[in-house]
Amino acid sequence: MHASYRAASSVLFAAVFLAGCSPAATGGSNASPAGTSATGPSGTDARGGPQGAIAVGAGPQTTYTVQKQPPAGSCHFRYEKGEPLEDLACTPGAVSPAVTQANLKSTICRKGGYTSGIRPSTSVTGKEKALNAASYGYKGRMGDAEYDHLISLQLGGDPNDPRNLWVELPEPGHKAGGGVNNRKDPVETKLHTAVCSGKVTLTAAQKAIVTDWTTALSTLGSGESAAAGGNALPGSGSP
């Protein structure tokens, strides 16, 4: 009887051991944990949006210093219906820890403005812009390209994190020497209005801009369209 009991115990132990060593149990190549999304290139999810939370930068500083930029020629513009988009790897965006959903009224939504007091000086951004132009291989007139905060300051973007700044090309058909001209600025202003009126959350607006600024308004749906006056991109005139 004891021998039979020991034999049965051995068989049971072996079965449990083998089950525990299966790929699904050990997290092997066949495992598919619940709640995870498929990932794509350059830190994007299966739909092309940013994977996970947006990076958090250092926030507003008393004194800003010139930030190191990606190596020359390592960044590449993307295009959506002719509109320039940032390189997902070089410019993934970064938010400021000083701006949260809870303190909107005292930061980006406060009367009298917020961005002018936290914006780096041109003595810093001018040097960064030249370096970033080399990163993206931009050889046009510097005055025609904007050194742009991917997540704008009025949407809680970090003021001087290199992950949040890029040389944004002028609009298609733009005349050389005509100065900065892009459609992204009005989109940011409409999103700012929507956030401050409570129609869109700060995080939703930030993620929409990072994913694709040209579709940010339509992505946010009817809540944003009420604040923006429609989901179409605004006109191409300078803001």
Side-chain angles (χ1 to χ4, degrees), residues 125-176:
T125 58
K127 294 175 181 177
E128 292 176 345
K129 181 178 181 180
L131 293 171
N132 191 264
S135 300
Y136 273 89
Y138 175 69
K139 301 183 185 303
R141 293 173 179 262
M142 294 299 287
D144 288 342
E146 179 180 353
Y147 192 44
D148 175 68
H149 288 92
L150 179 60
I151 304 173
S152 66
L153 297 184
Q154 64 178 337
L155 290 175
D158 193 86
N160 200 40
D161 192 306
R163 294 169 294 185
N164 195 46
L165 284 153
W166 65 303
V167 171
E168 182 183 6
L169 298 175
E171 286 293 304
H174 177 70
K175 184 178 180 181

Side-chain angles (χ1 to χ4, degrees), residues 40-128:
S42 303
T44 64
D45 62 24
R47 295 169 296 177
Q51 178 185 343
I54 301 172
V56 179
Q61 305 291 305
T62 302
T63 302
Y64 292 101
T65 57
V66 176
Q67 298 297 295
K68 183 179 179 180
Q69 303 297 312
S74 65
C75 306
H76 305 281
F77 293 108
R78 298 176 297 125
Y79 295 88
E80 179 66 32
K81 295 181 180 179
E83 295 291 347
L85 298 176
E86 76 289 350
D87 186 300
L88 294 172
C90 292
T91 317
V95 298
S96 170
V99 180
T100 67
Q101 186 69 37
N103 69 9
L104 293 177
K105 289 185 178 180
S106 62
T107 55
I108 63 172
C109 301
R110 76 183 181 203
K111 293 182 179 180
Y114 169 76
T115 64
S116 61
I118 64 166
R119 190 180 298 276
S121 68
T122 55
S123 64
V124 171
T125 58
K127 294 175 181 177
E128 292 176 345

Side-chain angles (χ1 to χ4, degrees), residues 9-70:
S9 298
S10 298
V11 172
L12 179 61
F13 175 79
V16 172
F17 178 80
L18 290 174
C21 291
S22 67
T26 59
S29 59
N30 293 330
S32 299
T36 60
S37 60
T39 58
S42 303
T44 64
D45 62 24
R47 295 169 296 177
Q51 178 185 343
I54 301 172
V56 179
Q61 305 291 305
T62 302
T63 302
Y64 292 101
T65 57
V66 176
Q67 298 297 295
K68 183 179 179 180
Q69 303 297 312

